[in-house]
Amino acid sequence: VDIAIVGFGGVGRALLELIYDKKDDLASEGLDLNLKYVINSRGGTYNPKGIDLMNFINFTGENRDLNSYQGKGSKPASFDDIIQNKDVDMVIEMTPSNLDHGEPGLSHISRALAKGIHVITANKGPILLAYDKLQDLARENGVKLGIGCTTGGALPSVNAGLIDLAGSKITSIEGILNGTSNFILEEMENNGLDYDLALKKAQEFGIAETDPSMDISGLDTGTKLLILTNVLMGENKTLDDIELVGIDSIDLDQVREMAGQNKRYKLIGRSIRTEEGLSISVKPELVDRDNLFYNVNGKDKVVRYISDTLGDLTIIGGASGVRPAAASILRDLINMFREGV
Ligand SMILES: NC(=O)c1ccc[n+]([C@@H]2O[C@H](COP(=O)([O-])OP(=O)(O)OC[C@H]3O[C@@H](n4cnc5c(N)ncnc54)[C@H](OP(=O)(O)O)[C@@H]3O)[C@@H](O)[C@H]2O)c1
């Protein structure tokens, strides 16, 4: 399978390392991944015969100017070359998530799909804003769109809903969908760190988004919850339809006081359909020891679905971080390959 990587930041780099580390496992699947393009905001590199992974990984350890990569047979390239040459089976799109207009990811994804190239993306913006249109485009062009990384990285969430709850009507989605805020709350409770220090630690661990305000304000949780709601509950909601409260509304004293009562705050996203309609919210909630979410700690996340015919399903885990996020992209890729891509 010939691939192009678009957006070579933390997740992109982790993905290349993972493909290298897992090459024997991939080969045993019959999957031979041939990397032809890597593109970032300033340009990129292209090798029609395939880029030497280790050589490229070593080069980019010290140099972010991909145009200047001198690997044998490699030349400078841009995203347009991927579209014009049409010599890859799959584009893996990992540029920053923009929730207002979805760019540059939205154009990358639509142009690749329109050219009959499969796409896997980690980018929440285009999926939040245009999932239905992109799916239609994929269908019209006989290709697939993988979005497993957009709703909690390694946590099986949107794919579990699509695959394992197929045929049921989902009436409720609840979750802790942001590892950074969950990690911060735990650091406040267990290590007595104030909010700023806990955030700094999350950044040192590389789990916070490039702009951590998205994690803290509940916007990241809201985005993931909306994608799940729109994709799995057949809705077409926007961020304006959500009540959004972040963890910045809680201080260390409150966390300590509640810990004394065996309760803890969790940032919970919730979409619930009742006879009155659908309510969608993201806010810190107090949970006690009996609640399933009480022990979802550290970088972990959780999603809980209630459906009419397949019952009540809770999935816990999916630690945050660039390697687990990259692994969730590889998971989509392997599953597409198994389905015959
Ligand atoms: N980090 C995580 O754990 C995680 C988990 C799940 C999903 N995600 C999503 O995955 C995506 C990537 O995350 P990340 O942490 O790897 O981000 P990042 O470190 O900020 O990297 C983003 C990359 O995109 C490149 N880029 C920006 N504009 C571009 C353009 N117009 N054309 C081509 N490339 C462009 C950047 O180029 P430069 O290097 O030149 O700046 C950089 O290489 C984001 O959408 C994020 O929301 C991340």
Side-chain angles (χ1 to χ4, degrees):
V1 176
D2 292 318
I3 59 172
I5 284 190
V6 182
F8 187 66
V11 181
R13 188 180 172 80
L15 179 63
L16 283 200
E17 288 169 355
L18 197 59
I19 291 173
Y20 183 82
D21 294 346
K22 292 269 181 189
K23 58 184 176 316
D24 293 342
D25 295 327
L26 294 172
S28 68
E29 283 269 348
L31 189 48
D32 179 13
L33 294 179
N34 186 35
L35 176 69
K36 285 192 170 177
Y37 300 80
V38 183
I39 310 288
N40 69 11
S41 69
R42 286 158 283 177
T45 188
Y46 167 49
N47 187 334
K49 296 217 169 101
I51 297 166
D52 182 290
L53 278 189
M54 199 22 86
N55 196 20
F56 181 74
I57 290 168
N58 287 338
F59 168 82
T60 54
E62 314 208 322
N63 195 334
R64 305 298 296 164
D65 177 15
L66 304 185
N67 287 302
S68 67
Y69 176 59
Q70 300 282 339
K72 190 164 173 272
S74 291
K75 50 186 171 187
S78 69
F79 182 80
D80 289 346
D81 294 318
I82 302 176
I83 299 299
Q84 271 152 25
N85 297 340
K86 202 185 173 296
D87 59 350
V88 293
D89 305 294
M90 185 169 298
V91 162
I92 303 179
E93 215 288 338
M94 296 171 284
T95 62
S97 292
N98 180 296
L99 305 179
D100 295 326
H101 48 63
E103 298 296 353
L106 185 53
S107 297
H108 292 154
I109 297 171
S110 1
R111 290 178 70 197
L113 293 174
K115 268 280 170 182
I117 300 171
H118 303 285
V119 174
I120 296 174
T121 188
N123 191 336
K124 295 173 266 276
I127 303 308
L128 175 70
L129 300 171
Y131 176 73
D132 284 349
K133 280 191 194 141
L134 293 172
Q135 261 309 345
D136 289 347
L137 198 57
R139 231 172 270 125
E140 282 160 20
N141 290 282
V143 286
K144 292 197 168 127
L145 171 64
I147 61 165
C149 184
T150 62
T151 52
L155 178 76
S157 45
V158 69
N159 287 348
L162 282 169
I163 296 166
D164 297 306
L165 292 175
S168 70
K169 193 181 278 282
I170 296 174
T171 50
S172 151
I173 302 173
E174 283 175 281
I176 297 172
L177 298 169
N178 181 268
T180 303
S181 48
N182 206 37
F183 177 87
I184 290 175
L185 289 171
E186 189 187 8
E187 285 297 318
M188 288 167 86
E189 180 180 332
N190 287 355
N191 296 328
L193 296 189
D194 71 14
Y195 170 81
D196 290 334
L197 276 176
L199 170 60
K200 205 159 161 255
K201 198 163 168 186
Q203 286 171 318
E204 279 162 17
F205 272 104
I207 59 170
E209 280 282 329
T210 317
D211 172 7
S213 66
M214 290 206 16
D215 297 310
I216 299 338
S217 66
L219 190 55
D220 180 72
T221 301
T223 305
K224 291 168 181 165
L225 180 67
L226 269 184
I227 294 176
L228 293 173
T229 304
N230 290 343
V231 173
L232 301 175
M233 295 172 98
E235 293 287 342
N236 203 3
K237 300 293 183 193
T238 69
L239 285 167
D240 293 336
D241 297 306
I242 305 193
E243 182 198 346
L244 210 63
V245 184
I247 60 165
D248 41 0
S249 59
I250 299 171
D251 64 28
L252 187 55
D253 288 341
Q254 285 170 288
V255 170
R256 281 192 175 133
E257 189 188 334
M258 288 305 138
Q261 299 174 26
N262 289 325
K263 291 179 182 169
R264 47 178 66 134
Y265 286 100
K266 293 287 178 191
L267 184 65
I268 297 180
R270 181 174 284 128
S271 285
I272 297 194
R273 197 186 297 290
T274 62
E275 283 177 4
E276 283 83 55
L278 182 71
S279 78
I280 316 176
S281 65
V282 174
K283 53 188 172 198
E285 293 184 23
L286 273 175
V287 295
D288 58 30
R289 284 178 184 274
D290 299 333
N291 190 306
L292 259 183
F293 289 10
Y294 184 86
N295 282 317
V296 179
N297 289 323
K299 302 179 210 166
D300 274 348
K301 298 181 279 274
V302 57
V303 65
R304 177 183 179 203
Y305 295 117
I306 301 178
S307 74
D308 59 349
T309 51
L310 286 162
D312 191 336
L313 173 77
T314 299
I315 304 166
I316 296 176
S320 302
V322 289
R323 193 165 165 97
S328 78
I329 290 173
L330 194 59
R331 173 174 67 191
D332 273 5
L333 201 159
I334 291 169
N335 284 325
M336 279 190 188
F337 179 74
R338 286 177 180 169
E339 287 166 13
V341 157

